[in-house]
Amino acid sequence: INNIMTSYFIVFFCLLEDVLRERPLEADGIDSVVVVDSVPQVGPELEFYIFSDKTINYDSVKNYVFRGFHMHWLEDPDCRDQYSVIYESGEQTAIFSNDSKEPILVEERAVKTYVRWSLKGTYLATFHQRGIALWGGEKFKQIQRFSHQGVSLIDFSPCERYVVTFSPLMDTKEDPQAIIIWDILTGQKKRGFHCESSAHWHIFKWSPDGKCFARMTQDTLSIYEIPSMSLLDKKSLKISGIKDFSWSPGDNIIAFWVPEDKDIPARVTLMQFLSRLEIRVRNLFNVVDCKLHWQRQGDYLCVKVDRTPRGSGIVTNFEIFRMREMKGEGTSVVVLKSIIGFAWEPNGGRFAVLHGKSPRINASFYHVKSNGKIDLIKMFDNQQANSIFWSPQGQFMVLAGLRSMNGALVFVDTSDCTIMYIVEHYMASDVEWDPTGRYVVTSVSWWSHKVDNAYWLWTFQGHLVQKNNKDRFCQLLWRQCPPTLLSQEQIKAIKKDLKKYSKIFEQKDRLSQSKASKELVDKRHLMMEEYRRYKDSAIQLYNQQRELRLQLRGGVDTDELDSNVEDWEEEAIEFFISEEIINLGDLM
Amino acid sequence: MKPILLQGHERSITQIKYNREGDLLFSVAKDPIANVWYSVNGERLGTYTGHTGAVCCSFTKSIWNVLTGSADNSCRLWDCETGKQLALLETSSAVRTCGFDFSGNIIMFSTDKQMGYQCFLNYFDLRDPQQIEDNQPYQSVPCNESKITSAVWGPLGEFVIAGHENGEINQYSAKSGEILKTAKEHTKQINDIQSSVDLTMLISASKDCTAKLFDSTSLEHIKTFKTERPVNSAAISPIMDHVVMGGGQEAMEVTTTSTRIGKFEARFFHAAYEEEFGRVKGHFGPINCVAFHPDGKSYSSGGEDGYVRIHYFDPHYFDFELEA
């Protein structure tokens, strides 16, 4: 349930902590920003921020303070989510509000660009030759502009305070410019970095609280802290052979793995990054490759290990670490056939695996129990699927066969692993869940297929709600929401009272539905009247011209099909209808 | 009722036409023959042979003649019953579209812009045999800007309504050849123009993925029917407020590994509400032409797959109504 809190609360909660932490010292008042009391009164239109950074000048503050309110879209009375659409092969970008009847256009610009939403949906970034621009607020005004020639990739920090831009063009030894970190609020460039290759974007990975970001280079893991942008403890971590790392999405823990080195086996390590304490280590043998998959809340880590146990043939183990329970002994699941996809259920302890070789692809669902056992809940065989898409709220998911599998879609309710609907969006190339988990969009991108470019809206159960054709449609991206401000108790209470809320919503839906029906009926009525009026006048003219027609055809009336029956000849024709072979023997 | 499948052409169908009473269906294709079939059961009555190139159009009339035009740079007149070629009019470039006027006395055809030749709209009066003998049209209208891609006669033979490559629709006087009216509603090539059975309205099918309804006399734009694919052909029902449209991707864009066997569809729209209400599958490739039987109880479609399909409507087609 997405209850909409007032803007006042959202802003207040976001800022209070920051405000108190960054309370300026007395000396900072000189040639710096004016402090207004100790705790500002926050109104719905303005956000206040207090800086202790001496490099801020009056103009940038003025710019920021008066830029307006950015959470406007969350206040939609009908709880409609927004999404961006790129179409006309990339020449047009539009923002729509998701109404189940039909999309409501919010903003439309003719601008050749890719777009990216920030992680909480506040900003929309557009790419240009000279850099990126950030847009937001009710009218999508330009909030900030960052100059980075040839920028091709960006990344937002989880708190939306920073954005990282990458350009392959700019980089000099003295002044590293390939990767730049920008402060969105002040518009300032915070630091530049070299970049060996952008092959693994995101190069910088942010800690879940946004206080640190890290990157991996040869044998090294470097962790930087905010806002200084300098190395934590002034030095990087030497991890010989480090191949990959990732932050837990929920805690200040980093997972990384190191391949085999002579007689030292490969291993996966979980490290608490502040203390550098290695809280869990697991040795792995005959490892070909590892992939780290964190569950959305950081409750579980799955390490997908491709091994060659007897030197030939690849076997995949899934080593599961339970982060909330005790010294997690990871429990393994062995799946023999080729792995096509793996995905954790958000908000839950289930995961789905696609495995097998086409055309015999299987979808297996597992549940990690609290005692550490991993149960296979169900396996669907012979699936036309190459991708897994969980609802961001968990429980529901779509198995999709995209692109070469022609857009087969299976909607599954994993609470009992039943298939709700098997449908198809022919040649679908992408699937995107809305942030609430109510709707799913499947689309045929012009980048993938040159005809039938459109996006279709489905409910989470697999009912098709809308088909939206868009000339050379390229991409749809949902606007994310900030995390809910409701506590678990509040959510429980709302779920308990769901019947009460459902009644109100249903009434509202019925009214809007009948309004739509009535509107449609009225519209049709009008169109028919208009059409009849035209037809009547055309028939009038036709009747007036009857004489002329008779003249043109030498007095023969051909106005009706049976105008001159006397001319008809009757003829009896035999048609062959069917053949039946009878054995003479049967007749005797 | 199951559709009747006509297999008489080896290459893609370019046009199908019913005669006035509807008992005969003519089909022409990219192969050099024209076929005529009984529409009641699909039995072939005969074949007109003589052309040496793709036949791009044909038209029939209540009097027993058939007119065809071809990429072999000729327009030919045939006796419908015997199949005998009655006249041959040679042209400098491919004949794109042709037709008899209401009286049956005047024929028009357009030639393509090809090999240095302009697009021309030619008028011949059949009552003057000299014109045929000398291959001299009494009127030849050059189309400098955009070539004609499809054309039909007006209701009383006073003008020809032509669709052009640039999406324009023009009325050309049959006497003077000058442009009487213009409609600039489509944004891309007109693929087909067909008249309603009483000739009061016409429907244009365009590469811009729409079909539009116009009044034949005033060229007033009445309705638009939108799809997401180029429309190759459209026809107006003689008895219901329906139009049928056929289209599909360009041949070049259809991949050979497409698993959509038989899934190219003819689409039915409500003429007044501009809303789609039904589809009929069956063709293995894009649909190039559609036509309603003059009594409105059946329709036919010709496809890129070389097949012509005759469909008789189920009773509930006539009862179907959109809520209003």
Side-chain angles (χ1 to χ4, degrees), chain A residues 412-432:
Chain A
V412 181
D413 179 348
T414 61
S415 61
D416 53 2
C417 273
T418 48
I419 292 181
M420 297 186 289
Y421 253 96
I422 300 178
V423 285
E424 182 195 71
H425 182 175
Y426 184 60
M427 296 315 289
S429 55
D430 302 276
V431 176
E432 299 282 343

Side-chain angles (χ1 to χ4, degrees), chain A residues 262-301:
Chain A
K262 294 199 246 315
D263 47 355
I264 307 174
R267 67 184 185 285
V268 169
T269 308
L270 292 172
M271 179 181 81
Q272 221 166 47
F273 84 91
L274 279 175
S275 60
R276 311 298 173 98
L277 189 68
E278 294 188 355
I279 53 175
R280 284 181 218 183
V281 179
R282 178 166 214 83
N283 288 331
L284 307 163
F285 301 89
N286 306 115
V287 174
V288 173
D289 194 20
C290 274
K291 285 230 163 31
L292 306 169
H293 296 282
W294 282 98
Q295 186 255 18
R296 176 83 60 94
Q297 279 69 32
D299 295 336
Y300 305 93
L301 169 68

Side-chain angles (χ1 to χ4, degrees), chain A residues 215-285:
Chain A
R215 87 146 147 181
M216 182 184 85
T217 45
Q218 183 85 353
D219 298 329
T220 309
L221 184 65
S222 309
I223 305 177
Y224 302 85
E225 53 179 1
I226 299 285
S228 65
M229 305 284 164
S230 49
L231 281 169
L232 191 65
D233 292 344
K234 308 244 190 310
K235 62 175 168 38
S236 300
L237 287 176
K238 285 275 166 262
I239 303 174
S240 183
I242 181 171
K243 285 281 261 178
D244 192 19
F245 81 99
S246 74
W247 293 92
S248 157
D251 307 287
N252 284 336
I253 296 173
I254 293 185
F256 60 88
W257 77 279
V258 172
E260 209 166 85
D261 181 22
K262 294 199 246 315
D263 47 355
I264 307 174
R267 67 184 185 285
V268 169
T269 308
L270 292 172
M271 179 181 81
Q272 221 166 47
F273 84 91
L274 279 175
S275 60
R276 311 298 173 98
L277 189 68
E278 294 188 355
I279 53 175
R280 284 181 218 183
V281 179
R282 178 166 214 83
N283 288 331
L284 307 163
F285 301 89

